Amino acid sequence: MVFSCFAKFYQIGLILVLIIGSWEAQAASRATWNWSQSPAKRDWQTFMKMSEVEHNAAWKSLKTSGYTFEKLSWEWRTGWIQVCTRRSSKLCGHILQHGLFDRALVVRAEAASSMGERFANTGHAPALRLLATAYAVQQNKKGKDPLYVQFRILHAIQQIGGTESRTLGHKLAHTSPATARYWTRLAMR
């Protein structure tokens, strides 16, 4: 009986050492992440599981290290946008705004989708204005043909909803036949 109690305490102690050790390893690894290069799978998983407090601390650390949103790799920028889809902090508002006008098409598209999800069914006028401005950016077209980010922007406008979104979406979509057809399909939903 004494031996079985000792074995249980040993198991509990071992589990605590493993938990504390893994937490310390994660905390140490965050400080050594190279934000300008593609994240390792484990770093990405850790980042996506972090709490809002941890993300705010990571962002503050980035700022003190001289990083700006634009200096992060496109994968990290996309990760920040994905995290900010579910959060309403002022920091996330700035990150989504930067994302809409990013140099990487994939980041702009992710930001548009995130804005649509974040402000779904709210009729949020400032978000609609930002999306309309982003829609008109020349990098979102190839000549006169729309790139997929414009379709994402139209979808986000439709998700946000309200009278202003219907009018705005119709106006923006009718700049090309492809986006006009897409807007018509969205309006039928």
Side-chain angles (χ1 to χ4, degrees):
M1 180 150 149
V2 174
F3 181 75
S4 67
C5 284
F6 178 77
K8 286 285 186 198
F9 283 120
Y10 179 77
Q11 287 175 337
I12 291 170
L14 185 59
I15 291 170
L16 286 174
V17 167
L18 290 173
I19 290 171
I20 291 169
S22 68
W23 178 79
E24 287 174 351
Q26 284 181 354
S29 68
R30 286 184 212 141
T32 60
W33 287 349
N34 186 342
W35 295 94
S36 61
Q37 293 184 356
S38 299
K41 182 179 178 180
R42 184 171 183 219
D43 296 342
W44 181 262
Q45 290 170 336
T46 301
F47 177 77
M48 296 309 277
K49 290 178 184 175
M50 288 168 49
S51 69
E52 186 168 2
V53 171
E54 291 171 311
H55 280 120
N56 289 340
W59 188 261
K60 188 175 181 179
S61 173
L62 280 171
K63 293 301 239 181
T64 58
S65 298
Y67 276 97
T68 59
F69 185 76
E70 296 80 17
K71 289 183 180 180
L72 305 177
S73 73
W74 71 267
E75 296 97 338
W76 281 119
R77 294 191 312 267
T78 302
W80 279 103
I81 288 168
Q82 289 174 355
V83 164
C84 284
T85 302
R86 304 178 301 271
R87 304 216 171 114
S88 59
S89 68
K90 189 174 181 179
L91 166 66
C92 282
H94 291 301
I95 287 172
L96 290 177
Q97 185 173 348
H98 283 295
L100 277 177
F101 302 98
D102 195 82
R103 67 185 179 273
L105 180 67
V106 69
V107 174
R108 294 193 307 269
E110 189 67 31
S113 293
S114 291
M115 297 260 316
E117 287 179 44
R118 185 176 184 200
F119 297 107
N121 301 314
T122 64
H124 195 263
L128 291 171
R129 285 191 297 272
L130 273 173
L131 289 164
T133 303
Y135 188 88
V137 172
Q138 185 58 43
Q139 290 86 347
N140 293 334
K141 303 176 216 166
K142 186 173 183 177
K144 292 183 179 182
D145 296 327
L147 296 175
Y148 76 96
V149 67
Q150 286 191 319
F151 295 95
R152 292 264 192 108
I153 290 170
L154 289 173
H155 186 256
I157 289 170
Q158 189 266 345
Q159 281 181 296
I160 291 171
T163 307
E164 186 179 345
S165 82
R166 286 189 293 278
T167 305
L168 177 64
H170 182 80
K171 178 183 171 189
L172 295 175
H174 283 80
T175 57
S176 86
T179 53
R181 282 190 304 275
Y182 182 71
W183 183 255
T184 301
R185 279 185 284 172
L186 284 175
M188 286 191 225
R189 290 182 179 181

